[in-house]
Amino acid sequence: MKANQHLHQIINGTLVLSVAGLLAKVLGAIYRVPFQNLVGDTGYYAYQQIYPFYGIEVTLALTGLPVFISRLVAEQDNRQDQLAVARLCRRLLCVAGLLIFAVLTLGSQLISKMMGDTHLQAVILGLAPIFLLMPWLAVGRGVQQGMLNMYPTAISQVGEQVVRVTWIIGVAVIATTQRWNSYRMASWAMVSALVAGLVAFMILIYTNLPLWKNQQRHPSPLTKRQLTRRLLTEGVLLCWLASITVILQLVDSFTVKRALVVAGGVSEAAAHASKGVFDRGQPLLQLGLVIATSLSATLLPSLSEKWHQGDRQTFVHTYRVLFHVCIMMATMAAFGMMILMPLINTFLFKNSRGSGALMVLMLAIPLAALVSAFCAVLQSIHSLKPMAGGLFAGLIVKCCINYPLTRKWGIDGAAWGTVLSLLVTMIIVWQALPQLLRRHRHGGKFVGKLLTITAFMTVLAGGSASLMKCYFGGGRLQAALVLLVAITIGAASAGWLVIRWHLLDDEELIALPGGKRLVTMMTKDNKENDSNETR
C-alpha cells in the first residue's frame, strides 16, 4: 500500500512538473513574436544578443541544478541531513552566483566588445543581478523536488514566466511609443529576469521555511570538498545538457554579427538586422523541441529504475517509446516548418527575410531531440563521460566553424554551424549507448515508415500552400489563412498514415497529447469492425 502511494506521488509529481514546464516553454517561445513585431529586427537583435546568458541562468535555477540538488536530497536518510546538504549546496552556489555576477558586471564592457557592439554593455548590466538570486531559486526548487513535492517548482516556474513575459511586452510597448533606442529597450527588458525571479523567490520561500530559518545547524553528511566535486561534475553536466541549444546561441552572439561585418559589404546596422532575422528561428526551434525534450525528462526516472533493477526487456521497451515518439514528433515538426517557412516567417515576423537560414536551422530540431533522448539513456545508466565528451565536441565544432561559415554564407552559414555541431554530438552519444539499444531490431523499419509519412505530409502541405498562395497572394493575413489550411492538411494526412501504417503501438500513442483518447477510439472501432465481420 505504501509503495503504491509512493509510486502515485512520483507519477503525479512528474505530470505536474511536465505540464508546468510545457506551459512555461510555450509562453517563453510565443512572447517573442509580438515582441519582435513591436521592436523590429534591430531591437530583437539587441535583446537576443544577451538572452543566452539568461537562458543559462534559467537552466541553473530551474532545470539542471534543481534536478542535481533533488538527487542529493533524495539520497539522505532523514530530514535533518536533507536540509544540511541543501544549506551547504546553497552556500557553494552563492559563491558561484556572486562570481558570475562579478564577471558580468565588471566584464560587461569587455564582453560587449567581444560581441562587436559596445552598446550592449547596458543590456548585460540589466541582466547580471539575476545570478544573485539563482542559488536561492535552485535550492528552493531542488529541496522540494527531492522530497517529491513538485508543486512549488511548478507554480514558481509558471508564475515567473508570466511576470517576465508581461514585463517584456510592457517594455516593448513603452519603448515603441516613447521611441527608445534598441539598447535602452533591451536593458529594461532584461530587468524582467530580476523582477520575475523575485516573484518566484516569494513563492518558494513559503514552502521552504525550515531551510531559510536560522535554527540549530546540523552537520552535513557530505563535506564541502565532496559536494564541490559532485557539483562540478554531475551538476555542470546536467546544466550543460539542459542548455545545449542556448550555449550554441551564445556562440552565435560572439561570432555572427562580427563575421557579417568583417565579411565586407555589410554595415553595422545591416548586420544588427541580419542577426535579428537569424534569431527569429529560436522560438520556432524551442517550440519544435517542447514535446520531445519534455518526454525525455519524464521517462528518465523509469529508464534509470529498470536498468538498476536488471529488467533489460522493460528498459529496451521504454527506450523504444522514447526514441519513436521523440524522433517522430521532432522530424514531422522540423520538415513541416521547413516547407512552410516563408509563410510562417511572413505571418509571424511581417516578412520572409532569412527564410533559407531558418529552414536550415529547423534541421536542428530532430538532432537536438535525439541528443536529449540518448543523453536521458546515458544518464539512467550513469554513463556520464561519453555524454560530456559529446557535448564538449559539439561545442568545439560550433566554436571552430561558426565564424568562417558565417563570413562565407552569412546567416545561412551560422545555421549550418548549429546543425553540424548537434550532428557531431548526436553521433558521439549514440555510439556510447549500450549495444542492446543500438542493435534495436525495429529501428530501420520504423525510420523507413517515418520518412515516407513525412515525405507525404511535406508534399501535401507544401503543395496545398503553393496553390493557395497563387490564388490568395502573399500578404500577412493571406499567409495566416494559407498556413491554417496547409497545417490542417499536413497534420491530418500525417496522423492518418501514422495510424493506418501502425507507426506507433498503443503505448507509444498514449505518450502523445490526446493519445489516450485516440487509443480508446481505435479500440472501440476495432471492436465494432470485428462485431460486423462476425455478423
Side-chain angles (χ1 to χ4, degrees):
M1 178 74 177
K2 198 170 183 180
N4 289 338
Q5 195 173 24
H6 179 74
L7 181 61
H8 174 73
Q9 190 177 5
I10 292 174
I11 294 171
N12 189 47
T14 302
L15 180 63
V16 168
L17 209 55
S18 297
V19 171
L22 193 64
L23 181 58
K25 285 177 182 176
V26 170
L27 279 171
I30 288 177
Y31 85 88
R32 298 190 208 190
V33 175
F35 179 67
Q36 186 275 344
N37 285 197
L38 286 165
V39 302
D41 289 328
T42 302
Y44 194 51
Y45 147 83
Y47 174 80
Q48 280 292 132
Q49 279 290 92
I50 308 304
Y51 175 83
F53 287 113
Y54 171 73
I56 291 170
E57 188 279 333
V58 169
T59 302
L60 295 173
L62 184 60
T63 50
L65 285 179
V67 170
F68 168 71
I69 294 164
S70 70
R71 289 182 184 177
L72 291 176
V73 169
E75 290 170 5
Q76 309 312 313
D77 296 326
N78 56 67
R79 174 83 166 173
Q80 284 185 320
D81 284 349
Q82 289 175 335
L83 293 179
V85 167
R87 288 193 186 100
L88 178 57
C89 197
R90 189 184 65 199
R91 288 200 295 272
L92 293 176
L93 290 178
C94 279
V95 174
L98 188 61
L99 284 174
I100 298 172
F101 169 75
V103 168
L104 289 178
T105 303
L106 301 177
S108 58
Q109 187 175 6
L110 177 61
I111 293 169
S112 61
K113 190 175 181 180
M114 291 172 66
M115 289 182 174
D117 188 350
T118 54
H119 293 99
L120 291 169
Q121 183 179 1
V123 189
I124 297 170
L125 292 173
L127 173 71
I130 186 59
F131 284 93
L132 296 176
L133 267 182
M134 177 272 294
W136 303 84
L137 298 177
V139 175
R141 287 162 173 153
V143 168
Q144 293 297 329
Q145 287 175 219
M147 297 174 183
L148 302 181
N149 181 13
M150 308 300 179
Y151 286 96
T153 297
I155 295 169
S156 66
Q157 181 179 7
V158 174
E160 182 178 9
Q161 193 69 288
V162 168
V163 170
R164 178 174 161 270
V165 167
T166 303
W167 179 282
I168 289 173
I169 297 301
V171 166
V173 171
I174 294 170
T176 304
T177 55
Q178 298 297 316
R179 299 185 181 279
W180 288 0
N181 66 48
S182 297
Y183 302 101
R184 184 182 180 189
M185 177 279 302
S187 61
W188 276 101
M190 281 299 172
V191 173
S192 65
L194 180 61
V195 176
L198 287 169
V199 170
F201 176 73
M202 294 301 294
I203 294 170
L204 288 168
I205 198 169
Y206 291 108
T207 57
N208 287 281
L209 285 178
L211 188 62
W212 316 129
K213 283 181 179 177
N214 287 320
Q215 53 187 234
Q216 186 177 359
R217 298 301 185 191
H218 182 76
S220 170
L222 291 175
T223 65
K224 187 180 293 186
R225 186 174 181 178
Q226 289 172 326
L227 188 53
T228 302
R229 187 186 299 116
R230 290 189 63 177
L231 187 61
L232 293 176
T233 52
E234 296 173 49
V236 168
L237 195 55
L238 283 170
C239 293
W240 195 347
L241 175 61
S243 61
I244 180 170
T245 55
V246 175
I247 290 174
L248 297 182
Q249 288 178 49
L250 186 60
V251 177
D252 288 326
S253 292
F254 282 99
T255 55
V256 173
K257 184 262 176 180
R258 289 173 55 243
L260 290 172
V261 174
V262 173
V266 179
S267 66
E268 289 278 338
H272 294 171
S274 292
K275 177 57 167 57
V277 168
F278 178 69
D279 286 331
R280 295 178 184 184
Q282 301 309 326
L284 301 175
L285 192 62
Q286 194 173 337
L287 283 174
L289 284 168
V290 161
I291 297 294
T293 52
S294 296
L295 187 65
S296 297
T298 302
L299 292 181
L300 176 58
S302 178
L303 282 166
S304 185
E305 180 185 7
K306 299 308 175 188
W307 178 266
H308 292 291
Q309 287 176 352
D311 188 353
R312 297 296 185 262
Q313 185 176 354
T314 308
F315 178 81
V316 172
H317 181 69
T318 305
Y319 163 77
R320 191 189 70 176
V321 173
L322 173 62
F323 174 77
H324 284 184
V325 175
C326 270
I327 192 62
M328 186 196 78
M329 295 294 292
T331 300
M332 290 184 176
F335 282 90
M337 285 197 280
M338 284 174 72
I339 196 67
L340 299 174
M341 184 54 69
L343 288 166
I344 294 172
N345 206 3
T346 300
F347 170 58
L348 295 179
F349 303 110
K350 301 180 184 178
N351 56 59
S352 61
R353 286 185 62 197
S355 292
L358 300 185
M359 289 170 71
V360 172
L361 194 60
M362 293 306 101
L363 291 172
I365 294 175
L367 292 173
L370 285 174
V371 168
S372 177
F374 295 156
C375 285
V377 175
L378 294 177
Q379 285 182 72
S380 69
I381 63 176
H382 294 294
S383 181
L384 302 181
K385 284 185 179 179
M387 191 167 78
L391 294 171
F392 184 70
L395 178 60
I396 292 298
V397 168
K398 176 72 172 175
C399 291
C400 290
I401 69 175
N402 211 58
Y403 188 84
L405 286 180
T406 306
R407 282 194 63 178
K408 189 166 185 179
W409 291 310
I411 58 175
D412 290 17
W416 279 114
T418 296
V419 171
L420 292 174
S421 66
L422 286 171
L423 179 62
V424 169
T425 299
M426 189 272 290
I427 292 171
I428 292 173
V429 294
W430 177 76
Q431 288 287 342
L433 293 178
Q435 283 201 353
L436 76 162
L437 299 184
R438 285 193 283 125
R439 292 176 180 175
H440 183 48
R441 61 183 179 179
H442 300 297
K445 187 178 178 183
F446 170 83
V447 171
K449 281 185 179 180
L450 174 61
L451 292 177
T452 306
I453 292 171
T454 304
F456 271 115
M457 176 200 75
T458 303
V459 169
L460 286 172
S464 61
S466 296
L467 289 173
M468 290 185 67
K469 190 177 177 182
C470 291
Y471 182 76
F472 288 107
R476 194 175 188 184
L477 188 60
Q478 292 88 337
L481 179 61
V482 173
L483 275 174
L484 181 62
V485 175
I487 291 171
T488 302
I489 291 172
S493 61
W496 184 79
L497 287 171
V498 165
I499 295 168
R500 184 75 175 176
W501 290 0
H502 302 286
L503 181 67
L504 303 177
D505 61 26
D506 287 354
E507 189 170 348
E508 291 164 350
L509 283 171
I510 288 172
L512 298 174
K516 202 168 186 179
R517 184 178 297 178
L518 180 61
V519 170
T520 303
M521 289 170 59
M522 288 169 57
T523 306
K524 187 178 178 181
D525 289 342
N526 289 336
K527 285 181 180 179
E528 288 177 358
N529 291 335
D530 292 341
S531 177
N532 291 334
E533 287 175 8
T534 304
R535 291 176 189 173

